[in-house]
Amino acid sequence: MDVDLTPKLPKNVIEGDGGSYQAWCPDDLVMLKRGNIGAAKLGLKKNGLALPHYSDSAKVAYVLQGNGVAGVVLPEKDEKVIGLRKGDAIVLPFGVVTWWYNKEDTELIILFLGDTSKGHNAGSFTYFYLTGTNGIFTGFSSEFVSRAWDVDEATVKALVGSQSGEGIVKVDGSIKLPEPKKEDRDRLVYNCEEAPLDVDIKNGGRVVVLNTKNLPLVAEIGLGADLVKLDDGAMCSPGFSCDSALQVTYIVSGSGRVQVVGVDGKRVLETTVKAGQLFIVPRFFVVSKICDPDGMSWFSIITTPYPVFTHLAGRTSVWKALSPAVLEASFKVSSEVEKKLRGTRTSDVIFFPPSK
């Protein structure tokens, strides 16, 4: 498998007074197309509004920065108005209509990762806007719109022709959009910054997993996700997804080194990753990371709602499950060497603090 796995930054798709929309291009990051994965970022300035729309892909949205409001309309359901804050993960199934708004000075930045296997273009999201210059009703004749909405032609022209923006607009600060309701977050949002830790290794790292237990809608989109924070100089154990899932990783903060090993023991990636970059680990390839002194965190999706990982180092390593004689024969080493291998990392699980 000869594919460039180099981490990439997104490219601007939309940019204006209200904010920007950036996406990772499947031509630059080929694994997006091969894995049917879409990745994008929405940035909203103060009073920026991402117009109501739906897309051809199920996604997980993750709030990287800021606070804001989102409107979510599931098929045949009432609108949910959700208050957003850093660390929120929002599950967006097929057919959901959303809008996003920022009323604060700090830019609201949201990451979108999702499955494009049923979309129009492998590796990228396609959006259908309900309003704006590229809105659905701009394509229908005034007769069709008039009959659909049961309004006169003058009203049709006002509704369809008054919006000059495309995708993202800046609204008048005097306009009062709906206020969020605390109860609307239920079953749609899980804050990974505030949630109980699923893994907590002293001086190593921490993990919060997004799954069907804490957010049932995860099963509907067919994706799992996690937020990982690695402490200064710590290492993440070499491991692989043993259920044929892809790992799509966005570096949230910090930096570090990453190595990926694939078929025939070939090292297919060795590089430094930095905040803002995205990279993808192919199915069954082994990945490991060592973070720099400033630490590193990343948000990932896994292309299954029930991910299972096999680690090759640490207390839960597969090596420790294999028989000593098998290890001696396989490595062609003495029993003393095998005992040294088996006797290490007896307490560490998946994160290893830096050597003293």
Side-chain angles (χ1 to χ4, degrees), residues 94-292:
F94 285 108
V96 64
V97 172
T98 63
W99 54 263
W100 310 80
Y101 178 62
N102 179 25
K103 63 179 179 181
E104 301 191 359
D105 292 330
T106 301
E107 185 178 18
L108 173 65
I109 302 177
I110 304 168
L111 174 72
F112 297 93
L113 301 174
D115 173 19
T116 66
S117 61
K118 297 180 181 178
H120 288 273
N121 299 294
S124 61
F125 303 131
T126 300
Y127 292 95
F128 299 85
Y129 289 91
L130 303 189
T131 65
T133 56
N134 58 341
I136 295 297
F137 279 97
T138 61
F140 283 103
S141 67
S142 58
E143 177 195 359
F144 272 64
V145 177
S146 176
R147 292 192 63 177
W149 286 345
D150 193 22
V151 293
D152 59 40
E153 190 167 335
T155 304
V156 170
K157 289 181 178 180
L159 289 168
V160 176
S162 61
Q163 181 58 265
S164 59
E166 181 177 313
I168 300 172
V169 299
K170 185 173 183 178
V171 300
D172 189 315
S174 63
I175 296 177
K176 301 298 182 183
L177 292 180
E179 291 294 324
K181 300 175 183 177
K182 185 177 180 181
E183 61 270 21
D184 283 355
R185 289 173 59 90
D186 295 345
R187 300 177 64 84
L188 282 176
V189 184
Y190 191 70
N191 190 281
C192 297
E193 294 276 359
E194 302 169 0
L197 297 173
D198 294 285
V199 177
D200 186 7
I201 307 298
K202 184 178 180 181
N203 299 321
R206 291 155 299 286
V207 182
V208 171
V209 178
L210 183 70
N211 55 32
T212 54
K213 293 181 180 179
N214 47 46
L215 211 54
L217 269 179
V218 165
E220 191 171 322
I221 66 171
L223 300 170
D226 58 28
L227 175 66
V228 180
K229 294 186 176 183
L230 208 57
D231 289 333
D232 302 357
M235 180 183 191
C236 182
S237 168
F240 64 94
S241 172
C242 55
D243 52 4
S244 78
L246 291 167
Q247 301 174 61
V248 185
T249 299
Y250 174 85
I251 306 301
V252 175
S253 64
S255 60
R257 291 176 290 145
V258 60
Q259 292 186 356
V260 178
V261 176
V263 180
D264 294 328
K266 181 181 178 182
R267 189 185 308 154
V268 294
L269 179 66
E270 181 175 15
T271 191
T272 296
V273 290
K274 300 178 181 179
Q277 292 182 323
L278 184 89
F279 72 98
I280 300 175
V281 179
R283 293 177 175 89
F284 301 109
F285 282 37
V286 178
V287 60
S288 183
K289 308 176 189 76
I290 298 177
C291 76
D292 290 337

Side-chain angles (χ1 to χ4, degrees), residues 326-346:
V326 171
L327 291 181
E328 291 175 28
S330 300
F331 281 115
K332 200 177 180 180
V333 296
S334 65
S335 59
E336 288 76 14
V337 173
E338 186 278 329
K339 288 177 182 177
K340 286 183 179 180
L341 173 65
R342 188 180 297 276
T344 61
R345 302 288 188 200
T346 55

